[in-house]
């Protein structure tokens, strides 16, 4: 691992051949939105980013090398669920948003390029940056004028320096003795939350931009100033660290309240009131203090491990974050223990599972604690009936139904018929408003184990349920 001091600091300009048009001319194009934007990668970050930019009046090329994905987008259909995404796609497709599978042409046509490619995790916890490097090499081979390359994927510190270095290396090889080529690299980490991603883009709480040139700074100011939110300009590596530090801190808050919930379970306290009390302190705040089965999704677990890996590479002690991860990993096991304590033997028990996505508002099941719990229950011989309002179509292709052991239900009421327990694993609002008398009469045993503290214990007691939740006193029959 190279120290940042061993990498050449980008000058903000790398020129091959003659001088390009003036910076003032470039900025006029940006101000008038005549400059085109390419967003490379049409996943959970890239597609909302592209449509958000289109809604602000930009001409956006949505580039992805996956032809079936691009073909789907060209029909006006989004490849995943995000509230408002389908409507925004239909509004801008063919007008301001143009999905393309030819990355070379998209790069040549655009002036500003947002990199939103995947950075999956290796077994070591290190981020796999091969897609980022491939994108950088493709950009280098298609430089036909000034480009601002904006790194938006979540990446470890000094990745922007490597992007700059890679482009300069390959551009030098590709354009020896030919026309003018200039570019800047910037870091603009995303802070999207699945379920509210479009709001995060159009009404962000803050925007962070890492730049090493005045030109890149000026362009990003033109893009983001109209949003009217706080805008922080930093160096490249600082912006990259901000993203990992933010997600790791939020992960720490979740693991902290889950640790406190375990103590509340042991002594009969109520973790929701504890969270309310400490959250009233403005230094702490109430967000991300919801006890439950742990955090999941594509961002928090991956970013936490990548941050730990980066610290270890540079000899920095991140044992605090290792414990954050360890607490989160134990949540599924502790929840299954609650189910076991409620039912005793799980073998041959029929259990309704409500909620498979890692959080409400998305169909994303990546690193979902729900799936860890489902697999543990299957290993203990339980028969499961699964329901989720959005995640089932995608999940059923991965988690194959097993006759008599694992089935997908069209509704919560179908899932609970004849069940000995109902588990709530995702906090979908719909689940809070079910007909509980109907649920009670359909179940063999009126047992609910709520992994998200979604329901009111007193209402469940009056409805005749034995109700178990996280860090709150148990109610109902014992």
């Amino acid at each position: 691992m190279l120290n940042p001091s061993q990498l050449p600091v980008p000058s903000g300009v790398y020129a091959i051949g003659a001088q390009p048009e003036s910076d003032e001319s470039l900025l006029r194009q940006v101000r008038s939105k005549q400059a085109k934007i390419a967003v490379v990668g049409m996943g959970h970050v890239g597609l909302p980013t592209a449509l958000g930019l289109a809604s602000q009046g930009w001409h956006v090329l949505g580039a992805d090398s996956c032809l079936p994905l691009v073909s789907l987008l060209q029909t006006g259909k989004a490849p995943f669920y995000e509230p408002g995404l389908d409507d925004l796609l239909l509004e801008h497709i063919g007008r301001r948003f143009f999905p393309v599978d030819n990355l070379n042409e998209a790069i040549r046509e655009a002036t500003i390029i947002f990199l939103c490619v995947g950075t999956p995790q290796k077994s070591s916890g290190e981020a796999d940056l091969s897609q980022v490097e491939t994108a950088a090499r493709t950009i280098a081979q298609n430089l036909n004028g000034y480009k601002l390359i904006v790194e938006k994927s979540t990446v470890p510190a000094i990745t922007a320096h490597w992007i700059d270095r890679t482009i300069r290396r390959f551009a030098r090889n590709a354009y020896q003795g030919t026309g003018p080529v200039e570019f800047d690299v910037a870091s603009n980490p995303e802070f999207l939350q699945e379920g509210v991603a479009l709001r995060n883009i159009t009404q962000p709480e803050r925007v962070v931009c890492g730049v090493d040139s005045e030109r890149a700074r000026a362009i990003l100011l033109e893009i983001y100033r109209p949003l009217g939110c706080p805008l922080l300009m930093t160096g490249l590596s600082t912006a990259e660290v901000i993203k990992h530090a933010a997600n790791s801190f939020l992960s720490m808050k979740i693991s902290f309240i889950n640790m406190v919930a375990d103590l509340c379970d042991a002594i009969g306290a109520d973790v929701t009131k504890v969270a309310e009390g400490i959250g009233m302190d403005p230094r702490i705040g109430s967000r991300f203090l919801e006890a439950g089965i742990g955090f999941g999704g594509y961002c928090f677990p991956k970013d936490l491990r990548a941050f730990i890996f980066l610290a270890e590479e540079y000899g920095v002690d991140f044992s605090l974050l290792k414990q954050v991860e360890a607490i989160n990993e134990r949540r599924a096991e502790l929840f299954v223990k609650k189910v076991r304590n409620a039912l005793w033997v799980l073998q041959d028990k029929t259990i309704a599972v409500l909620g498979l996505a890692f959080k409400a508002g998305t169909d994303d099941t990546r690193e979902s604690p729900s799936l860890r719990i489902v697999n543990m229950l299957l290993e203990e011989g339980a028969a499961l009936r699964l329901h989720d309002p959005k995640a089932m179509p995608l999940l059923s292709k991965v988690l194959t139904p097993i006759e008599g052991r694992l089935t997908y239900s069209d509704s919560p009421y179908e899932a609970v018929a004849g069940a000995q327990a109902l588990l709530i694993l995702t906090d979908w609002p719909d689940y809070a408003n079910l007909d509980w008398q109907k649920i009670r009469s359909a179940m063999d045993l009126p047992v609910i184990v709520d992994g998200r503290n979604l329901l009111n214990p007193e209402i469940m007691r009056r409805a005749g349920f034995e109700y178990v939740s996280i860090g709150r006193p148990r109610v109902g029959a014992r």
Side-chain angles (χ1 to χ4, degrees), residues 39-253:
V39 178
V40 180
M42 289 287 97
H44 286 268
V45 173
L47 182 56
T49 296
L51 291 174
L53 289 166
S55 69
Q56 294 162 33
W58 293 94
H59 180 113
V60 183
L61 301 173
D64 200 291
S65 59
C66 178
L67 181 57
L69 171 59
V70 172
S71 298
L72 182 66
L73 289 173
Q74 289 172 342
T75 67
K77 296 180 180 178
F80 52 86
Y81 174 73
E82 177 68 38
L85 193 65
D86 286 325
D87 291 340
L88 202 59
L89 177 58
L90 287 173
E91 179 182 350
H92 294 293
I93 188 77
R95 297 178 179 89
R96 295 191 183 278
F97 174 64
F98 303 87
V100 296
D101 65 339
N102 191 319
L103 303 186
N104 298 319
E105 289 184 5
I107 290 165
R108 288 195 293 268
E109 191 169 343
T111 300
I112 304 161
I113 303 167
F114 283 88
L115 296 185
C116 300
V117 297
T119 55
Q121 189 175 79
K122 298 180 181 179
S123 58
S124 63
E126 179 184 11
D128 181 351
L129 301 177
S130 58
Q131 293 182 52
V132 177
E133 196 228 17
T134 298
R137 291 175 63 174
T138 304
I139 290 168
Q141 292 159 0
N142 289 281
L143 288 174
N144 59 344
Y146 174 77
K147 310 290 180 185
L148 172 60
I149 299 99
V150 186
E151 162 204 270
K152 204 163 186 67
S153 302
T154 300
V155 294
I158 80 169
T159 299
H161 290 278
W162 275 110
I163 292 172
D164 178 271
R165 193 183 202 195
T166 299
I167 293 174
R168 282 190 284 131
R169 279 177 169 175
F170 284 90
R172 183 182 293 114
N173 292 335
Y175 292 94
Q176 283 183 344
T178 63
V181 179
E182 285 197 7
F183 70 91
D184 291 312
V185 175
S187 176
N188 173 217
E190 52 87 10
F191 297 99
L192 304 187
Q193 303 170 67
E194 291 182 45
V196 290
L198 293 179
R199 188 179 71 195
N200 295 153
I201 290 170
T202 58
Q203 305 172 50
E205 295 173 341
R206 87 286 202 193
V207 172
V208 174
C209 296
V211 297
D212 266 354
S213 80
E214 181 57 35
R215 179 168 51 189
R217 180 180 184 276
I219 292 173
L220 290 171
L221 280 172
E222 291 294 335
I223 293 174
Y224 288 118
R225 186 185 286 120
L227 297 180
C229 65
L231 178 57
L232 177 63
M233 288 288 180
T234 74
L236 291 170
S237 294
T238 300
E240 293 167 329
V241 170
I242 286 171
K243 174 58 190 292
H244 274 108
N247 277 358
S248 296
F249 186 83
L250 295 176
S251 299
M252 183 174 66
K253 286 188 74 173

Side-chain angles (χ1 to χ4, degrees), residues 356-357 363-366 371 374 385-402 406-410:
L356 304 170
D363 59 358
D364 195 348
T365 60
R366 292 175 296 180
L371 300 193
V374 163
R385 296 177 183 165
L386 311 181
H387 179 269
D388 188 286
K390 295 296 180 182
M392 289 196 301
L394 291 175
L395 184 62
S396 61
K397 299 176 183 178
V398 179
L399 194 60
T400 306
I402 305 170
L406 187 147
T407 58
Y408 291 91
S409 302
D410 292 333

Side-chain angles (χ1 to χ4, degrees), residues 245-259 287-289 295 300 304 320-325 327-328:
N247 277 358
S248 296
F249 186 83
L250 295 176
S251 299
M252 183 174 66
K253 286 188 74 173
I254 296 170
S255 282
F256 174 82
I257 201 62
N258 280 332
M259 178 182 69
R287 296 181 66 187
F288 293 89
L289 287 178
F295 56 81
F300 279 14
L304 180 65
L320 171 63
L321 294 187
K322 290 181 181 178
Q323 284 303 309
V324 168
E325 182 182 26
I327 290 169
N328 194 62

Side-chain angles (χ1 to χ4, degrees), residues 173-476:
N173 292 335
Y175 292 94
Q176 283 183 344
T178 63
V181 179
E182 285 197 7
F183 70 91
D184 291 312
V185 175
S187 176
N188 173 217
E190 52 87 10
F191 297 99
L192 304 187
Q193 303 170 67
E194 291 182 45
V196 290
L198 293 179
R199 188 179 71 195
N200 295 153
I201 290 170
T202 58
Q203 305 172 50
E205 295 173 341
R206 87 286 202 193
V207 172
V208 174
C209 296
V211 297
D212 266 354
S213 80
E214 181 57 35
R215 179 168 51 189
R217 180 180 184 276
I219 292 173
L220 290 171
L221 280 172
E222 291 294 335
I223 293 174
Y224 288 118
R225 186 185 286 120
L227 297 180
C229 65
L231 178 57
L232 177 63
M233 288 288 180
T234 74
L236 291 170
S237 294
T238 300
E240 293 167 329
V241 170
I242 286 171
K243 174 58 190 292
H244 274 108
N247 277 358
S248 296
F249 186 83
L250 295 176
S251 299
M252 183 174 66
K253 286 188 74 173
I254 296 170
S255 282
F256 174 82
I257 201 62
N258 280 332
M259 178 182 69
V260 173
D262 292 342
L263 178 63
C264 289
D265 269 332
I267 66 175
D270 186 339
V271 72
T272 60
K273 294 300 181 182
V274 173
E276 183 180 358
I278 64 177
M280 292 170 71
D281 187 329
R283 297 171 300 174
I284 297 173
S286 60
R287 296 181 66 187
F288 293 89
L289 287 178
E290 294 86 17
I293 56 177
F295 56 81
Y298 191 61
C299 291
F300 279 14
K302 178 176 72 75
D303 292 354
L304 180 65
R305 292 167 196 149
F307 207 31
I308 293 170
F309 180 87
L310 179 67
E312 290 179 339
E313 286 288 285
Y314 288 100
V316 179
D317 183 2
F318 266 34
S319 55
L320 171 63
L321 294 187
K322 290 181 181 178
Q323 284 303 309
V324 168
E325 182 182 26
I327 290 169
N328 194 62
E329 287 295 317
R330 291 195 293 269
R331 299 314 294 167
E333 181 181 341
L334 291 173
F335 181 81
V336 171
K337 183 178 179 181
K338 284 179 177 287
V339 179
R340 197 181 298 116
N341 287 341
L343 295 180
W344 190 22
V345 177
L346 299 184
Q347 177 79 31
D348 296 327
K349 291 291 194 311
T350 299
I351 299 175
V353 176
L354 303 188
L356 304 170
F358 82 92
K359 60 177 284 189
T362 180
D363 59 358
D364 195 348
T365 60
R366 292 175 296 180
E367 297 262 3
S368 174
S370 301
L371 300 193
R372 292 198 293 272
I373 290 167
V374 163
N375 287 325
M376 289 180 183
L377 294 172
L378 287 173
E379 289 175 0
E380 297 216 19
L384 305 182
R385 296 177 183 165
L386 311 181
H387 179 269
D388 188 286
K390 295 296 180 182
M392 289 196 301
L394 291 175
L395 184 62
S396 61
K397 299 176 183 178
V398 179
L399 194 60
T400 306
I402 305 170
E403 186 175 356
R405 292 290 314 284
L406 187 147
T407 58
Y408 291 91
S409 302
D410 292 333
S411 73
Y413 302 104
E414 179 182 313
V416 301
Q420 284 87 49
L422 181 160
L423 313 183
I424 296 180
L425 303 186
T426 308
D427 54 345
W428 286 100
D430 292 354
Y431 293 155
N433 300 309
L434 296 173
D435 183 337
W436 294 107
Q437 290 301 325
K438 183 177 180 180
I439 295 284
R440 171 69 178 82
S441 62
M443 295 180 69
D444 275 1
L445 292 176
V447 175
I448 296 176
V449 188
D450 185 352
R452 297 294 184 178
N453 289 351
L454 182 66
L455 308 178
N456 183 297
E458 182 57 26
I459 292 175
M460 292 301 101
R461 185 191 66 78
R462 291 200 301 265
F465 287 98
E466 179 179 347
Y467 178 72
V468 182
S469 54
I470 307 294
R472 299 189 295 182
R474 183 172 182 166
V475 300

